[in-house]
Amino acid sequence: MTRNNRSATAVLAAGLAALTGATLAAGPALAAGYPDKPITMLVGFRAGGGVDTVGRLIAKHMEGTLGQPVVPTAKAGAGGGVLAAALAKAKPDGYTIGIAVTSTWSFNPVFARKKRYGVNDATLLASIARAQCVIFVGAKSPYTSLKDAFAAAKGGKALSASSPAPPATFLLRHLAGKNGVKLRVINVKGTPVVIQQVLGGHVDLGWSGGHHIPYLRKGDVRVIAATDDRRLNAPSDKVPTLKDMGYDISFCGAYIMAAPKGLPADVKAKLDGALKAAINSESVQTFIARRKLAANYQGTEGLTKEVQAEAAAWAKVKAGLKKK
């Protein structure tokens, strides 16, 4: 090999080495480039509520991890449906995420008059905590169980209930139908109104996702069923679940973080890490404990399977209602 050829080969090798090094460096640099601007966190429920409060705590912690502002933005309405529809249309680049609840993706798409999204039209990133979902009565109520209440209805007693949300309404009607009894369900705005109606003796039963707990501590109400498929941590795990009683449906609400479908793997990995750290932070765990929620962190795979199963259960309920 001549001297000139050796020189040319050396130059080519050096150039290839430099190009390879630059390419390898570019890969991590591209992944590390996210996020390079603020992230919008859509909040599917009213300001000051549990979803909004925990969402803001998570946003604040994520800012420290990701190094960019995470901006909570109101997108309330339709039980989180307004948010979910917006996420379904958003660009899957990691700059739009949202917080709502399980029924936003399990119940809403099944019963919506006009379907705008489905359970598979989002990336369900993580669940944060579960509410303490119950059917309760006043402390002076003669009913100590759902069985007692439905037995009274079979005996001719006019049975009534108060519900703050469509899933609770359909659940109560479904349970009554399974027992072959009539149940008048009054739909109200907010669980505080449910509690007022129960305490005032205006209805026999009420559904609550946790607002009943202070009244439970004072002895004003009595819990007769857990409507989640998990045992309660308030007042105790001895309260039977609907599945314990042989029913084929449960309803509760886990707070859920989601993003548009189709997130790049490296972006999702960064969001997953930031979310898990935020959910496990002292501020969020303190919120969970004070609200008497049940800690319930799950990642995408387990959470998606759970919400899909709940959606399938609601579809069966809907089919049963149509046959009546």
Side-chain angles (χ1 to χ4, degrees):
M1 181 179 290
T2 66
R3 181 177 180 181
N4 287 341
N5 286 339
R6 286 197 299 270
S7 297
T9 301
V11 169
L12 178 61
L16 288 172
L19 179 62
T20 301
T23 302
L24 290 174
L30 288 173
Y34 171 81
D36 60 5
K37 62 181 181 180
I39 296 169
T40 297
M41 177 189 285
L42 304 179
V43 181
F45 290 82
R46 64 178 176 80
V51 173
D52 176 68
T53 302
V54 76
R56 291 178 183 279
L57 292 173
I58 288 173
K60 185 176 181 180
H61 196 279
M62 288 179 72
E63 287 184 355
T65 303
L66 296 174
Q68 288 289 341
V70 179
V71 186
T73 304
K75 208 72 174 177
V82 174
L83 169 147
L87 277 185
K89 296 178 180 179
K91 188 176 179 180
D93 56 7
Y95 290 102
T96 304
I97 59 176
I99 181 170
V101 295
T102 308
S103 59
T104 298
W105 286 278
S106 65
F107 174 88
N108 288 9
V110 173
F111 286 91
R113 293 180 180 179
K114 183 178 180 181
K115 187 174 179 179
R116 296 180 294 170
Y117 66 91
V119 64
N120 297 317
D121 292 328
T123 300
L124 303 183
L125 295 169
S127 61
I128 303 161
R130 301 182 76 85
Q132 297 288 289
C133 301
V134 303
I135 297 172
F136 69 100
V137 297
K140 297 180 181 179
S141 170
Y143 309 131
T144 59
S145 67
L146 270 181
K147 185 177 180 180
D148 289 345
F150 291 140
K154 287 180 180 179
K157 169 72 168 65
L159 195 66
S160 60
S162 183
S163 165
T169 298
F170 278 90
L171 175 70
L172 290 164
R173 288 175 176 166
H174 175 68
L175 297 176
K178 282 286 186 179
N179 284 273
V181 301
K182 292 183 178 180
L183 176 65
R184 181 172 65 97
V185 182
I186 300 171
N187 298 303
V188 300
K189 291 186 177 181
T191 309
V193 181
V194 175
I195 293 170
Q196 290 173 12
Q197 291 193 335
V198 171
L199 293 180
H202 306 298
V203 296
D204 300 294
L205 312 173
W207 183 92
S208 167
H211 285 88
H212 65 284
I213 292 176
Y215 299 88
L216 182 67
R217 290 172 177 163
K218 292 189 293 183
D220 294 334
V221 302
R222 181 167 62 249
V223 171
I224 60 174
T227 65
D228 195 354
D229 57 4
R230 292 166 173 78
R231 292 282 184 159
L232 299 173
N233 61 27
S236 78
D237 61 5
K238 293 181 180 179
V239 174
T241 68
L242 293 179
K243 290 194 174 182
D244 289 337
M245 292 181 254
Y247 294 107
D248 57 353
I249 188 68
S250 61
F251 164 60
C252 194
Y255 296 169
I256 289 179
M257 296 296 310
K261 184 179 180 180
L263 284 179
D266 58 342
V267 170
K268 183 177 183 303
K270 281 204 167 186
L271 284 172
D272 285 342
L275 275 173
K276 189 169 185 179
I279 292 167
N280 289 328
S281 68
E282 183 178 354
S283 62
V284 172
Q285 290 301 310
T286 298
F287 169 85
I288 290 172
R290 286 178 177 171
R291 288 291 184 103
K292 291 295 181 183
L293 301 170
N296 182 225
Y297 175 81
Q298 285 192 91
T300 297
E301 184 176 357
L303 175 59
T304 301
K305 286 181 179 179
E306 181 176 293
V307 177
Q308 287 173 337
E310 191 168 304
W314 278 120
K316 288 182 179 180
V317 169
K318 183 179 180 180
L321 292 172
K322 284 185 175 180
K323 292 178 182 178
K324 295 175 183 178

